[in-house]
Amino acid sequence: MTFGERLTALRKESGYSTRKSFAEKLNIPETTLRNYETNDREAGHTFLKQMSVLFNVSCDYLLGLTDEREKYSSYPLKASEYDHIQKYRFISKHSPDGAAVVDTILDREYSIAERLTGQTGQMQNTDTEASEEFIPTRIMSYYQKLASAGKGEYLFDGVPTDLIEVIATETAAEADFVIGVNGHSMEPTYYNGEKVFVKKMSEISTGEIGIFIKGDQCYIKELGTDRLISHNADKKAYPDIPAGEDIALVGKVLGKVEAQAVLS
């Protein structure tokens, strides 16, 4: 679209059905506005900036150089904010799925901030217990049923993850991701289908429970002095795994995820 076509469309969208009414608002002759809209006269930079502010669009949009109505900022961006924008544009271009994750988290955190703001206002204006009505949450990466509490589950490099929303406890804040338990070897400590918080670590102490990889299989087990220990009393069905150089630690299990919602 040309500048004149964009200007005409924006004028009408803003409720100025006639050139006369809009020209009066701008305090310019109607003939000047007509020349702009018919492209018989080129608008100067002052008029372009005025239209950009008035219609809250970029000058590039007005000139037909882009179809994106990038909003005109009436306030300067901080360096860190500009850096975030640059990163987001890079992610959007090279990793659309990553941009979708950012959008999901941003929308969620914005919603939380809105509720917190409203809650603060309520508490300032009333004597209610509004703080008890809102439970803060955190969104984390979630590996579904990869930690075997049985005979082993495959863990592939680059395995896709879901997002899971959990209550923002101290344990959740310390964890790096959530993983699902698959099998019965760790019962009664952890049951099949439960989810656990995991913190990435290169070492854990004997007696602590971790996520381990042996070959291309992933396990949840207790670290023993010379083996990975299953908690299930049926050792014939769920034997311990002897220690070996082919076993690698992924991280320490911090505890169960008590309440959550998987985000699709």
Side-chain angles (χ1 to χ4, degrees):
M1 294 180 70
T2 66
F3 170 75
E5 291 171 333
R6 281 272 156 85
L7 180 60
T8 302
L10 289 168
R11 166 174 64 81
K12 292 179 178 179
E13 285 179 18
S14 299
Y16 297 97
S17 57
T18 65
R19 287 176 181 155
K20 181 179 179 181
S21 61
F22 192 51
E24 289 177 350
K25 174 179 175 57
L26 300 178
N27 195 28
I28 62 174
E30 184 180 350
T31 54
T32 300
L33 178 60
R34 177 182 62 79
N35 289 336
Y36 287 155
E37 291 190 347
T38 58
N39 296 302
D40 290 333
R41 180 177 176 181
E42 186 174 314
H45 70 276
T46 300
F47 185 79
L48 275 174
K49 184 176 180 180
Q50 182 183 11
M51 295 301 98
S52 177
V53 174
L54 179 63
F55 295 124
N56 200 27
V57 297
S58 69
C59 290
D60 282 350
Y61 179 79
L62 284 169
L63 293 172
L65 300 176
T66 178
D67 290 329
E68 295 290 334
R69 296 193 183 195
E70 298 175 351
K71 294 184 178 180
Y72 175 84
S73 296
S74 58
Y75 56 90
L77 290 174
K78 296 179 181 178
S80 59
E81 294 170 334
Y82 182 77
D83 186 48
H84 288 325
I85 292 172
Q86 294 296 95
K87 288 178 181 178
Y88 182 77
R89 287 181 174 176
F90 184 83
I91 293 171
S92 298
K93 181 178 180 180
H94 300 286
S95 177
D97 290 342
V101 172
V102 174
D103 290 339
T104 298
I105 296 175
L106 186 63
D107 289 342
R108 174 57 190 168
E109 294 304 315
Y110 185 83
S111 177
I112 290 174
E114 280 191 318
R115 278 184 279 171
L116 285 171
T117 301
Q119 183 185 94
T120 301
Q122 278 188 329
M123 294 181 69
Q124 289 176 341
N125 296 325
T126 67
D127 193 25
T128 62
E129 297 297 326
S131 60
E132 297 180 2
E133 299 175 4
F134 175 74
I135 301 176
T137 59
R138 180 189 177 195
I139 294 176
M140 302 182 66
S141 295
Y142 170 44
Y143 294 86
Q144 292 197 40
K145 285 195 171 185
L146 286 178
S148 176
K151 302 182 185 300
E153 279 294 319
Y154 292 106
L155 181 64
F156 299 99
D157 290 336
V159 63
T161 62
D162 290 320
L163 293 176
I164 190 169
E165 183 178 8
V166 300
I167 296 175
T169 61
E170 291 184 5
T171 302
E174 186 180 356
D176 292 304
F177 61 87
V178 172
I179 197 166
V181 176
N182 186 24
H184 306 277
S185 75
M186 289 302 288
E187 295 177 0
T189 308
Y190 295 111
Y191 287 85
N192 179 49
E194 291 185 328
K195 302 175 183 66
V196 295
F197 291 111
V198 181
K199 180 177 178 61
K200 295 178 182 178
M201 299 181 71
S202 58
E203 293 183 0
I204 61 175
S205 300
T206 301
E208 293 182 325
I209 297 175
I211 302 296
F212 300 89
I213 293 177
K214 177 180 171 65
D216 56 2
Q217 295 179 310
C218 180
Y219 297 89
I220 174 171
K221 299 290 181 184
E222 178 187 327
L223 179 63
T225 55
D226 60 351
R227 66 192 61 236
L228 301 181
I229 301 170
S230 299
H231 285 190
N232 196 306
D234 186 356
K235 293 298 183 180
K236 289 185 178 180
Y238 304 103
D240 297 340
I241 301 175
E245 294 183 358
D246 58 340
I247 297 176
L249 173 68
V250 175
K252 176 181 176 181
V253 174
L254 302 181
K256 296 180 183 179
V257 178
E258 300 294 349
Q260 73 289 313
V262 177
L263 308 178
S264 57

